[in-house]
Amino acid sequence: NVYLINGLMESILSNLQKVGELKVISRTSVEKYRNNTKTIPELAMELNVNYFIEGSGQKIGDKILLHIQLIEGPTDRHLWAEQYNREAKDIFSLQRDVAKNIADKIKVIITPEEEHRIDQVPTHNLVAYDYFLVGLELFHKGNRESILESIVYFKKAINEDNEFARAYADIAISYYFLDAYQTEKIYSIEIHNYADKALLLDSKLPQSLIAKALDYMHSAEYELAVPYLEKALEYNPNSAL
């Protein structure tokens, strides 16, 4: 269940990234430290952060067990820990609750607009979401073969839920990265169609806006991409992408 737990942790981070008062380092930036022997204070200095969130978990049957710890970076002091035991069907409320609990513990104010964005559910179809998380795990491996395979799973997700905006956006983003460093661009139509579909379904989803920006960048219309990237940052102030 590694893909599920990684996806769960990424979604929690993604919810925290929507809070303007926070600076949240992306999963990609911290992934290289997964098996690192450096201490928490050393990592805090390298990444210039005050807090770390550590998580572990597993899925057993229809239950998700998740253990979360909040650690003060410079001192390595454990500030808060909690064990969550939820039904798999409650995965979205779990993601929301953990993010809000962390924000509460470090005394960060979440605005009503930010809370509304955190409360939004990407899909009501859990089979679609499971396919999506598999795709996301493959996408993060970053090599051409895994990105091609991630598209297969994102497409399985939209076959289950044809209004799953995030899956459409991630297909467009995946195709963009497949073409990014190639002399001959072969995925222009796919990027354009999936980006437009994502934007049509959810014009306030940061990934939809990023997908459309990448569509313009792919065709070298860079000035047209800028407003979409700026709007994406408005909805997700910590978006590394």
Side-chain angles (χ1 to χ4, degrees):
N1 300 136
V2 171
Y3 78 92
L4 180 75
I5 301 303
N6 282 345
L8 191 55
M9 291 302 295
E10 175 155 319
S11 297
I12 291 165
L13 282 178
S14 179
N15 281 335
L16 288 169
Q17 286 174 338
K18 295 168 186 171
V19 181
E21 273 199 19
L22 288 174
K23 183 186 82 171
V24 183
I25 304 297
S26 72
R27 170 185 166 182
T28 310
S29 298
V30 299
E31 190 67 27
K32 60 185 176 183
Y33 295 110
R34 185 182 286 269
N35 299 309
N36 201 291
T37 56
K38 290 182 179 178
T39 66
I40 290 287
E42 286 173 331
L43 297 180
M45 187 174 291
E46 276 193 29
L47 291 168
N48 189 28
V49 294
N50 294 320
Y51 303 99
F52 282 85
I53 303 162
E54 283 188 350
S56 62
Q58 57 186 316
K59 182 173 182 283
I60 303 172
D62 61 352
K63 294 276 189 182
I64 294 176
L65 307 176
L66 192 65
H67 182 69
I68 301 286
Q69 295 184 85
L70 180 66
I71 302 165
E72 191 172 60
T75 64
D76 200 8
R77 185 165 62 97
H78 286 230
L79 302 176
W80 168 76
E82 189 156 335
Q83 183 87 36
Y84 295 84
N85 185 346
R86 299 282 183 89
E87 300 280 342
K89 63 184 175 63
D90 297 326
I91 189 169
F92 300 121
S93 63
L94 174 58
Q95 292 167 181
R96 291 195 302 267
D97 291 349
V98 174
K100 288 178 181 180
N101 285 342
I102 290 167
D104 181 60
K105 296 302 174 186
I106 58 180
K107 299 187 176 10
V108 168
I109 294 171
I110 300 175
T111 68
E113 293 81 7
E114 290 165 349
E115 184 161 13
H116 175 70
R117 288 197 284 272
I118 290 170
D119 287 343
Q120 285 183 310
V121 173
T123 176
H124 292 285
N125 186 313
L126 292 178
V127 175
Y129 193 63
D130 195 73
Y131 281 137
F132 170 75
L133 291 181
V134 176
L136 201 61
E137 186 74 4
L138 289 162
F139 175 81
H140 280 299
K141 289 183 179 178
N143 61 67
R144 190 171 186 82
E145 291 73 23
S146 65
I147 292 175
L148 280 166
E149 196 177 352
S150 77
I151 292 170
V152 173
Y153 281 92
F154 292 144
K155 286 182 176 179
K156 285 184 177 182
I158 61 177
N159 282 339
E160 294 291 334
D161 177 4
N162 63 7
E163 295 187 353
F164 193 170
R166 175 70 196 271
Y168 284 100
D170 279 22
I171 292 172
I173 292 167
S174 298
Y175 277 125
Y176 173 84
F177 281 112
L178 288 173
D179 257 3
Y181 305 107
Q182 305 301 311
T183 305
E184 184 183 354
K185 309 294 188 186
I186 60 175
Y187 292 118
S188 301
I189 293 172
E190 288 86 350
I191 295 167
H192 179 75
N193 289 345
Y194 282 105
D196 275 2
K197 182 68 174 179
L199 204 60
L200 179 67
L201 289 168
D202 191 346
S203 62
K204 293 185 177 180
L205 181 72
Q207 289 83 4
S208 295
L209 292 157
I210 290 168
K212 189 59 189 173
L214 294 179
D215 178 26
Y216 282 124
M217 289 169 65
H218 189 267
S219 58
E221 296 176 279
Y222 302 110
E223 287 188 10
L224 294 176
V226 173
Y228 289 93
L229 295 172
E230 289 176 336
K231 185 60 74 172
L233 281 173
E234 182 183 319
Y235 295 135
N236 187 337
N238 288 278
S239 174
L241 187 57

